[in-house]
Amino acid sequence: MTDQTAVVGGVDTHTDFHQAAVIDSIGRHLATQAFPTTPDGYRRLLDWFCSHGDVIAVGVEGTGAYGCELARYLRQNQITVIEVDRPDRRARRASGKSDPIDAFAAATAVLTGRAGGTPKARDGIVEAVRTLRVVRRSAVKARTQTINQIRTLIITAPGEMREQLRALTPAELIKHLARTRPGTQTSDPACAVKVALRRLARRHQYLTAEIDDADTELEALMGQAAPELIALPGVGIETAAQLLITAGDNPERLTSEASFAHLCAVAPVPASSGRTNRHRLNRGGDRRANHALHMIALVRMRYDQRTQAYVTRRTAEGMSKKDILRCLKRFIAREVYKHLTRQHTPAKPLIQAA
């Protein structure tokens, strides 16, 4: 195989190894081989690709999961990486399922143009925000579960204890339970309840401190990454962080504000039939980004005079609340996209190129 031969690579990613395949410019299968998911394995995989010719591009499945580090390594070595979705079930039923088949399918998808998406860079400040929010979300979920367990135990607690705790606010309840001294006779149900409530209250306090620390870190990062975005009406740290994560460290991969709206599931979907001409809400896309836009719209509907005037006018025209929210979310996506692309500056990579 000469160095001038143009080839396209494909990679089916896994936890411990990646299955790579290479095809030529007319789609002929040339070779397939598995490589471990280690720095040496990534180096050997790239050398193997280059040994077959001039690499036009490499299609990688799971660039946001198992293939994340491989995609970084290939980009650092000036290889064009294309994000490839897994084959649909109909294609798999027709062609079968195996790692080499999936790797060749990834390469073929790049060559035919079926796959053309640019993966998220995941090497800047937005990746740092995403990582911190993973921990924060789990802490919030655990704290909610904890307070629910406290309330459930209080319902079944002895009557005297239940009456004592019932009138307390949530903050007072946590402080009171964390200070109690239940004793050591856990064979007594009343004592066991007190022990359990104190442990849950202290867990609630620990999770609250963890969430507060995460909020402080995220506020500093967001002030650095998107100061103009969080200054928009109704946009808070959490919603702005989610929209940044959806766009990624390289929002220029989104070619237009319409593509960003489609990614956030706020692009209008036609729902016309006969004499009815209307659009409906989009139930696809990134649901967390859609939820962030939804919360921004709700806040604006309550506090922003411009939005309130718009809702009043559209309601008078006979538009339903769902349709008004759809229009508001679409407008907010357009506004957010302008700030994402205007104020974005590439951050220092978390991993230096080799």
Side-chain angles (χ1 to χ4, degrees):
M1 197 68 63
T2 63
D3 292 340
Q4 288 73 30
T5 302
V7 297
V8 175
V11 183
D12 182 32
T13 59
H14 299 273
T15 305
D16 300 319
F17 71 93
H18 294 331
Q19 185 73 38
V22 61
I23 63 177
D24 63 15
S25 58
I26 60 175
R28 290 179 300 187
H29 293 189
L30 300 181
T32 180
Q33 187 172 332
F35 297 89
T37 56
T38 61
D40 181 65
Y42 297 145
R43 180 187 57 78
R44 291 195 288 115
L45 184 149
L46 179 57
D47 292 342
W48 180 78
F49 274 142
C50 294
S51 69
H52 289 85
D54 183 18
V55 182
I56 301 174
V58 176
V60 180
E61 284 190 19
T63 58
Y66 299 127
C68 181
E69 182 59 24
L70 174 62
R72 286 197 193 104
Y73 180 80
L74 293 175
R75 284 196 304 269
Q76 290 167 3
N77 286 274
Q78 288 73 52
I79 299 296
T80 301
V81 179
I82 303 298
E83 185 172 9
V84 178
D85 295 330
R86 67 177 185 178
D88 58 33
R89 294 183 179 180
R90 182 177 180 181
R92 283 188 168 179
R93 284 196 299 268
S95 304
K97 169 71 175 76
S98 71
D99 295 338
I101 289 176
D102 288 346
F104 278 122
T108 303
V110 174
L111 182 63
T112 60
R114 183 177 63 83
T118 303
K120 293 180 181 178
R122 295 182 180 275
D123 59 0
I125 193 170
V126 176
E127 179 65 9
V129 171
R130 185 194 70 83
T131 304
L132 292 175
R133 285 192 76 244
V134 169
V135 182
R136 185 189 184 279
R137 283 200 307 271
S138 64
V140 170
K141 184 177 181 180
R143 186 176 66 174
T144 302
Q145 183 183 42
T146 300
I147 191 63
N148 289 339
Q149 290 172 337
I150 289 174
R151 289 167 176 163
T152 300
L153 285 177
I154 291 175
I155 290 174
T156 58
E160 182 180 352
M161 184 189 307
R162 186 172 64 250
E163 291 303 317
Q164 179 185 4
L165 300 176
R166 178 177 293 176
L168 298 179
T169 65
E172 294 172 341
L173 178 65
I174 296 300
K175 290 181 181 179
H176 174 78
L177 293 177
R179 292 195 303 262
T180 58
R181 296 183 178 180
T184 59
Q185 300 297 324
T186 53
S187 59
D188 179 15
C191 179
V193 169
K194 292 179 181 179
V195 171
L197 288 174
R198 183 180 67 170
R199 289 176 180 173
L200 288 172
R202 291 182 175 180
R203 180 187 301 175
H204 188 282
Q205 289 179 332
Y206 175 80
L207 291 170
T208 299
E210 184 178 323
I211 294 169
D212 291 341
D213 290 341
D215 286 339
T216 301
E217 294 164 348
L218 286 171
E219 186 174 0
L221 287 176
M222 291 303 298
Q224 178 183 351
E228 295 183 8
L229 181 60
I230 59 179
L232 292 175
V235 180
I237 298 297
E238 274 296 296
T239 52
Q242 179 56 61
L243 294 172
L244 273 184
I245 293 169
T246 299
D249 280 299
N250 49 335
E252 63 275 4
R253 69 194 181 92
L254 302 171
T255 56
S256 66
E257 56 90 12
S259 64
F260 178 69
H262 185 78
L263 177 62
C264 296
V266 294
V269 177
S272 303
S273 177
R275 298 180 180 179
T276 303
N277 185 14
R278 61 179 295 270
H279 292 78
R280 67 167 175 82
L281 294 170
N282 190 337
R283 295 176 177 83
D286 188 332
R287 302 312 303 172
R288 288 177 178 169
N290 186 279
H291 180 263
L293 294 174
H294 186 82
M295 295 306 298
I296 295 171
L298 292 181
V299 171
R300 289 189 177 188
M301 289 172 68
R302 184 164 185 176
Y303 298 105
D304 183 49
Q305 294 183 353
R306 181 183 56 168
T307 304
Q308 291 171 348
Y310 174 81
V311 171
T312 301
R313 177 170 61 84
R314 299 297 272 177
T315 302
E317 294 174 358
M319 184 175 285
S320 66
K321 184 177 179 180
K322 281 187 176 181
D323 286 333
I324 292 174
L325 274 172
R326 174 182 61 78
C327 295
L328 284 174
K329 287 157 70 174
R330 180 66 179 85
F331 171 80
I332 295 169
R334 182 181 299 114
E335 190 177 35
V336 166
Y337 177 79
K338 292 178 181 178
H339 285 275
L340 286 176
T341 54
R342 183 170 65 245
Q343 67 190 14
H344 176 76
T345 54
K348 184 179 180 181
L350 300 178
I351 303 176
Q352 295 295 331

